[in-house]
Amino acid sequence: PLEGATGSRDELLRQLAEAASDPWDGRPSRTGPLLSLLRSRFPTYELRDLSPVLDPIRLIKSEREISLIRRASEIAGLALIEAIRSTKPGIYEYQLDAVARYVYLLNGAKHEGYPSIIGGGTNAYYGHYFRNSSALKDGDLVLMDYAPDYRYYTSDVTRMWPVNGKYTPDQRALCDFILAYREALVKRIKPGVTPDRVLDEASQEMAAFLKKLTFSKEIYRKGAEEALRFRGHLSHPVGMTVHDVGSYRRKEFAPGIVFSVDPMLWIPEENLYVRMEDVVVVTPTGVENFTEFLAAKTDDI
């Protein structure tokens, strides 16, 4: 399917499938009619899908691609810092979007790499929440997942922070857990290591860390324990689209692979979701976190 501004292939395929199966819609993709026209107008030509050839190439980024994603990540981080400074009870989620867009344009980005996800309170629980229409409430956390389009490349960066500037003890414990999980994952990434090994070793480290945390409710500890079993924390490739193509899940890491490190947990009883996300590149000797300069401890945030 056509990958354009703010569109990732996985999301576009889902949209096409939903439209095709909708009895009140049923629209075909643009690709299907195009192929039919090509076959009818050029019957002697052979048509092939280049995706199996191009996708593995797109997975391994060149030095220039890495530099562009690095800059997109830096701009995303600067926008997050400004959004954190601008937060107070009563402002609206879309106003943080506006703050970020201003920083993007100010730093040479053309526009957004994907629609912003800015969820205050329980809005953050709903995955790719996009309405951004609610007022931020005193006592809630707010999640911001947003990055620019910088010369046709993007990033994928997320932070959560308290709307009123002060974590409750439980909010601090949950965010401390996720931020420590982030560190445990990143420090194990290097060439020749599999994603499964990184996840297994980080989970073992975090099990010991979890014993040191105090929660007011057992459901919070249960949510953290479930996070140790979740296998999606090394989330997806990042490049020309936020969910870039290519797969690294079943192979050893190699230099040039760029992807998001995205530890997360859910507390379904309270529609509570906690997540922090950074984008990294595997280097010949280890890993580079493009947003290492961002606050990564609750006190710093």
Side-chain angles (χ1 to χ4, degrees), residues 277-295:
E277 183 176 23
D278 298 86
V279 171
V280 305
V281 60
V282 182
T283 69
T285 57
V287 65
E288 176 189 351
N289 181 359
F290 293 139
T291 40
E292 185 64 34
F293 68 95
L294 265 182

Side-chain angles (χ1 to χ4, degrees), residues 80-81 83-85 87 93 96 117-127 136 139-146 157-167 170-172 174-176 178-179 182 262-267 270-278 294-301:
L80 269 168
I81 290 170
I84 293 172
R85 290 172 174 164
T87 301
E93 294 161 341
L96 297 186
I117 302 169
I118 303 172
T122 57
N123 287 342
Y125 188 79
Y126 299 101
L136 300 180
D140 281 348
L141 293 173
V142 58
L143 176 148
M144 184 170 183
D145 180 344
Y146 204 19
V157 186
T158 304
R159 285 293 183 273
M160 295 188 76
W161 61 92
V163 171
N164 62 11
K166 186 175 182 180
Y167 291 96
D170 285 321
Q171 289 172 347
R172 179 179 289 274
L174 290 170
C175 289
D176 280 343
I178 288 298
L179 287 166
R182 162 192 177 270
D262 195 13
M264 61 190 84
L265 63 82
W266 295 262
I267 312 295
E270 296 184 358
N271 283 357
L272 177 60
Y273 178 55
V274 181
R275 177 163 69 91
M276 308 283 181
E277 183 176 23
D278 298 86
L294 265 182
K297 295 187 181 299
T298 49
D299 284 341
D300 296 334
I301 292 174

Side-chain angles (χ1 to χ4, degrees), residues 227-248:
L228 298 180
R229 291 186 281 272
F230 181 62
R231 306 300 289 182
H233 300 307
L234 303 179
S235 192
H236 55 80
V238 178
M240 288 190 285
T241 61
V242 63
H243 294 170
D244 211 10
V245 299
S247 176
Y248 54 85

Side-chain angles (χ1 to χ4, degrees), residues 7-272:
S8 296
R9 187 188 299 172
D10 60 340
E11 294 172 336
L12 291 167
L13 286 172
R14 185 174 64 251
Q15 292 168 11
L16 291 174
E18 289 172 352
S21 62
D22 186 345
W24 296 101
D25 191 335
R27 286 171 295 171
S29 69
R30 293 183 64 189
T31 307
L34 173 62
L35 291 173
S36 296
L37 287 169
L38 287 170
R39 290 190 177 104
S40 66
R41 295 176 182 178
F42 305 99
T44 61
Y45 287 6
E46 181 181 356
L47 303 181
R48 294 184 183 179
D49 181 5
L50 279 177
S51 296
V53 177
L54 293 177
D55 289 1
I57 298 173
R58 282 177 60 178
L59 179 65
I60 305 295
K61 270 59 177 182
S62 69
E63 285 299 321
R64 174 163 173 74
E65 288 181 298
I66 291 169
S67 69
L68 293 172
I69 301 169
R70 180 185 293 114
R71 182 55 180 158
S73 302
E74 291 170 351
I75 297 171
L78 294 173
L80 269 168
I81 290 170
E82 196 61 36
I84 293 172
R85 290 172 174 164
S86 303
T87 301
K88 61 181 179 181
I91 72 166
Y92 284 81
E93 294 161 341
Y94 61 78
Q95 290 178 295
L96 297 186
D97 176 294
V99 168
R101 285 173 183 260
Y102 173 75
V103 175
Y104 295 168
L105 295 172
L106 191 66
N107 285 276
K110 185 178 180 182
H111 46 63
E112 60 187 12
Y114 54 94
S116 63
I117 302 169
I118 303 172
T122 57
N123 287 342
Y125 188 79
Y126 299 101
H128 288 178
Y129 168 79
F130 63 90
R131 296 191 183 280
N132 300 343
S133 57
S134 297
L136 300 180
K137 298 177 182 178
D138 193 356
D140 281 348
L141 293 173
V142 58
L143 176 148
M144 184 170 183
D145 180 344
Y146 204 19
D149 178 320
Y150 183 73
R151 301 184 183 180
Y152 304 108
Y153 284 81
T154 189
S155 185
D156 196 5
V157 186
T158 304
R159 285 293 183 273
M160 295 188 76
W161 61 92
V163 171
N164 62 11
K166 186 175 182 180
Y167 291 96
T168 68
D170 285 321
Q171 289 172 347
R172 179 179 289 274
L174 290 170
C175 289
D176 280 343
F177 174 79
I178 288 298
L179 287 166
Y181 211 157
R182 162 192 177 270
E183 294 298 322
L185 291 165
V186 170
K187 71 183 182 182
R188 289 176 165 84
I189 298 169
K190 60 183 178 180
V193 174
T194 64
D196 280 342
R197 177 179 166 186
V198 171
L199 289 165
D200 290 342
E201 293 181 359
S203 177
Q204 292 172 9
E205 177 181 334
M206 292 309 301
F209 181 88
L210 182 57
K211 293 178 181 179
K212 303 175 184 177
L213 295 178
T214 300
F215 298 102
S216 68
K217 300 179 183 180
E218 188 59 30
I219 57 173
Y220 297 152
R221 183 170 300 279
K222 179 182 175 183
E225 290 172 348
E226 287 293 326
L228 298 180
R229 291 186 281 272
F230 181 62
R231 306 300 289 182
H233 300 307
L234 303 179
S235 192
H236 55 80
V238 178
M240 288 190 285
T241 61
V242 63
H243 294 170
D244 211 10
V245 299
S247 176
Y248 54 85
R249 293 287 183 89
R250 300 183 182 278
K251 60 183 73 173
E252 294 178 349
F253 285 123
I257 295 177
V258 177
F259 63 98
S260 74
V261 176
D262 195 13
M264 61 190 84
L265 63 82
W266 295 262
I267 312 295
E269 295 87 349
E270 296 184 358
N271 283 357
L272 177 60

